[in-house]
Amino acid sequence: MTSRAVPGLRLAALLCATLGALAAGTQALRAQALVADLSHHLIAITTGFTGTEVVLFGAVDGPGDVAVVVQGPPDDTVVRRKERVAGIWLNTRRLGFTQVPSFYRVATTRPLGMLVEDSVLQRHEIGLGYLNLVPGEPAPPETVREFREALIRKKQEDGLYSTEHAQVAFLGERLFRTTIYFPANVPTGAYIVSVYLIRDGDVVSAQTTPLAVSKIGFSADVYDFATRQSLLYATVAIVFAMAAGWLAGAVFRRV
């Protein structure tokens, strides 16, 4: 089932809650210049899951820009380069990267170049160009750059890294919102949603919010069985494939 929009009542409740926080907690907002939350903190992957959207709402205590960074669970990744050798394509070069975010999205109120200096973007890893991808072994800078670009390009092709920044929109002077899209192949695990308030050329406040992506129902049972009992799962899959092939052959012989 695809969830492409948050129900109107849910949005209204979130908006009212944010307005209430602004009205009743002016002093708190002065102490905490940025407040943000998600429409829901769990993405449940069930059979037939084709992607979903999560809405992020928030409020600030005054003028400024907002940047949102979503990072999926990190993992070690190896990038391989194929070359044609004697007429055959072979993996001739490889470079591993450690703790690579499995998912990465950015949303901002304005283009990155108009927000802050590169050093600030680098410090908070806001934008793909400033994402810290560390090679697992020493390599020349030009080699690291080549394989880094290949890694990002592959993630973008898979829909796991954004190709452009989403828009953070202000609703009035204090409230803001943005929509984060998660594709059907979104990796499971613990995600971190970081929200930054940028003012006078620097990050003046930040907040992180957890988000979980998990398989549930029949698809979770199959995944768990395949992970814990991989040999048995492979055997069952082969038996089913052979049975399906025999059944199809028997049907065609009778026709």
Side-chain angles (χ1 to χ4, degrees):
M1 180 183 298
T2 305
S3 174
R4 299 304 302 267
V6 176
L9 291 177
R10 179 62 171 166
L11 289 177
L14 286 169
L15 184 59
C16 289
T18 307
L19 286 171
L22 281 174
T26 303
Q27 293 182 351
L29 274 176
R30 288 174 181 171
Q32 185 176 351
L34 171 69
V35 176
D37 200 3
L38 300 171
S39 56
H40 48 277
H41 293 265
L42 171 65
I43 296 177
I45 299 179
T46 59
T47 303
F49 177 80
T50 58
T52 190
E53 290 179 343
V54 174
V55 176
L56 183 143
F57 270 97
V60 295
D61 67 345
D65 287 295
V66 173
V68 178
V69 178
V70 184
Q71 294 195 44
D75 196 6
D76 295 345
T77 303
V78 176
V79 181
R80 295 178 175 85
R81 179 176 179 178
K82 290 186 176 181
E83 293 181 352
R84 197 175 183 89
V85 179
I88 302 175
W89 287 99
L90 299 174
N91 291 321
T92 58
R93 301 170 61 193
R94 52 170 284 172
L95 182 64
F97 291 87
T98 61
Q99 298 297 289
V100 176
S102 57
F103 183 90
Y104 188 86
R105 288 280 193 278
V106 173
T108 56
T109 50
R110 293 189 295 164
L112 290 181
M114 301 175 62
L115 295 180
V116 286
E117 298 294 331
D118 290 351
S119 59
V120 178
L121 298 174
Q122 186 81 43
R123 185 190 319 145
H124 298 283
E125 299 186 74
I126 304 175
L128 279 175
Y130 307 96
L131 183 60
N132 186 25
L133 298 177
V134 181
E137 58 191 71
E142 59 272 14
T143 300
V144 174
R145 182 172 57 254
E146 176 186 357
F147 279 83
R148 182 185 189 279
E149 293 175 352
L151 170 59
I152 292 176
R153 186 165 57 250
K154 182 63 170 61
K155 290 285 190 180
Q156 289 178 324
E157 291 173 357
D158 294 339
L160 300 178
Y161 281 16
S162 56
T163 55
E164 57 184 21
H165 300 154
Q167 178 69 36
V168 176
F170 268 94
L171 310 174
E173 296 181 354
R174 301 286 183 90
L175 303 179
F176 64 88
R177 61 160 287 172
T178 188
T179 302
I180 308 164
Y181 176 68
F182 295 86
N185 61 335
V186 58
T188 58
Y191 285 61
I192 295 295
V193 181
S194 301
V195 186
Y196 301 97
L197 174 60
I198 300 171
R199 187 178 295 155
D200 298 327
D202 200 0
V203 173
V204 297
S205 183
Q207 177 181 326
T208 59
T209 302
L211 173 68
V213 178
S214 177
K215 295 179 182 290
I216 64 172
F218 178 73
S219 59
D221 295 336
V222 173
Y223 177 80
D224 185 67
F225 176 62
T227 303
R228 296 177 180 270
Q229 304 289 339
S230 56
L231 181 59
L232 182 58
Y233 175 80
T235 303
V236 171
I238 292 172
V239 170
F240 269 104
M242 293 176 61
W246 177 85
L247 181 60
V251 171
F252 279 111
R253 283 196 298 270
R254 292 181 179 182
V255 174

